[in-house]
Amino acid sequence: MRIAVAGGTGTTGRRVVDHVRDAGHEAVVLSRSAGIDLRAPSGALDDALSGIAAVIDASNVTTLSRPASERFFGAVTRTLLDAESRLGVGHHVALSIVGSDRVDTGYYAGKRLQEKLIRESDVPWTVVRATQFHEFTDQTLAMTRGPIAVVPVMRSQPIAVDEVAAFLVEVAAAGPRRAVVEIAGPAPESQVDLARRVLRARGSRRLVLPVRLPGSAGRGMASGALLPTGDVRRGEQDFASWLAETA
């Protein structure tokens, strides 16, 4: 199969490209470094999608702003789906987040819009919702500087990004389900506890200050709304083994 990977130079996208090739398929990278701006239609995108059997959208934006998140995911999703519809691409696979439909944050609003556009499209599709990657804890710690790390009270089920990438390729090759599927790490964890474990492993003396975010989003994060429900693919690498490797 020829599989195009949107955001194929990003953290997840690079691994998706590797797994596409490891599975014996041909990978086509859709990114600005390849001359393709996914936020607007172009002849370069149409050329890249010629003869493509499936598109895996692993594109991402770093923002907490609802308008910025909706602008990015809305533009990229519309651009891809319109081109795929014109060119007869048979499967659109999008990476989303477990619980984004239950926790109302600015970033998750963009993911909800992405999923809505996919469901309404005439392109056959599958949405893969994943829990937070193991690296999410380091990203959380980097959001504050100084001797005190402010960490949200949150329950998560962290997973290895490589396992998510492999699952995306498996789903793409299997054909469209017109459904949402979930993948999560082996076990639920406390984000505050994960932050303390990372700091100890890194030899840091920073203190962790747990903060419950306000409103329904904060209540949802603290109560487990970002944990998987029902039938879910479970990853194998737990947080402890990932931390031992990276420390």
Side-chain angles (χ1 to χ4, degrees):
M1 294 175 62
R2 297 187 75 229
I3 298 176
V5 183
T9 58
T11 301
T12 307
R14 290 195 306 270
R15 291 173 169 87
V16 172
V17 169
D18 289 341
H19 280 284
V20 168
R21 292 169 177 160
D22 289 345
H25 307 300
E26 179 184 350
V28 176
V29 176
L30 308 178
S31 67
R32 276 195 276 185
S33 62
I36 299 170
D37 186 348
L38 294 172
R39 293 168 298 180
S42 68
L45 175 60
D46 285 3
D47 290 344
L49 292 181
S50 178
I52 291 294
V55 171
I56 299 174
D57 184 7
S59 61
N60 194 30
V61 62
T62 302
T63 183
L64 298 177
S65 163
R66 182 184 299 263
S69 181
E70 290 182 334
R71 277 196 305 272
F72 177 83
F73 288 111
V76 169
T77 305
R78 290 185 182 97
T79 298
L80 286 173
L81 291 172
D82 287 349
E84 291 164 22
S85 179
R86 287 196 310 274
L87 296 165
V89 175
H91 192 188
H92 181 95
V93 180
L95 175 61
S96 190
I97 302 171
V98 169
S100 57
D101 56 334
R102 300 188 294 269
V103 175
D104 188 18
T105 69
Y107 177 77
Y108 289 165
K111 301 306 288 184
R112 290 195 295 273
L113 174 60
Q114 178 186 37
E115 292 191 20
K116 177 178 182 291
L117 293 171
I118 291 169
R119 288 193 303 270
E120 293 174 350
S121 169
D122 62 357
V123 178
W125 59 275
T126 308
V127 169
V128 175
R129 291 180 185 161
T131 51
Q132 284 72 25
F133 299 147
H134 292 313
E135 291 83 357
F136 178 76
T137 299
D138 275 321
Q139 296 166 4
T140 301
L141 289 169
M143 293 179 69
T144 54
R145 304 292 182 182
I148 297 177
V150 178
V151 177
V153 176
M154 168 180 157
R155 288 178 58 74
S156 64
Q157 198 158 319
I159 187 169
V161 61
D162 197 60
E163 293 183 307
V164 174
F167 186 55
L168 285 166
V169 176
E170 177 187 325
V171 168
R177 305 189 191 187
R178 296 189 184 272
V180 174
V181 296
E182 295 188 343
I183 182 169
E189 303 276 6
S190 159
Q191 192 59 50
V192 172
D193 177 61
L194 296 180
R196 290 178 174 138
R197 289 162 64 183
V198 165
L199 290 173
R200 286 197 301 269
R202 305 279 193 266
S204 173
R205 295 186 177 182
R206 294 181 76 192
L207 299 177
V208 172
L209 176 64
V211 173
R212 185 184 291 268
L213 298 182
S216 61
R219 291 192 298 273
M221 294 168 69
S223 64
L226 295 178
L227 298 177
T229 59
D231 186 27
V232 60
R233 170 73 69 90
R234 293 193 183 275
E236 296 181 1
Q237 186 184 44
D238 62 15
F239 190 81
S241 62
W242 172 83
L243 185 57
E245 287 180 4
T246 58

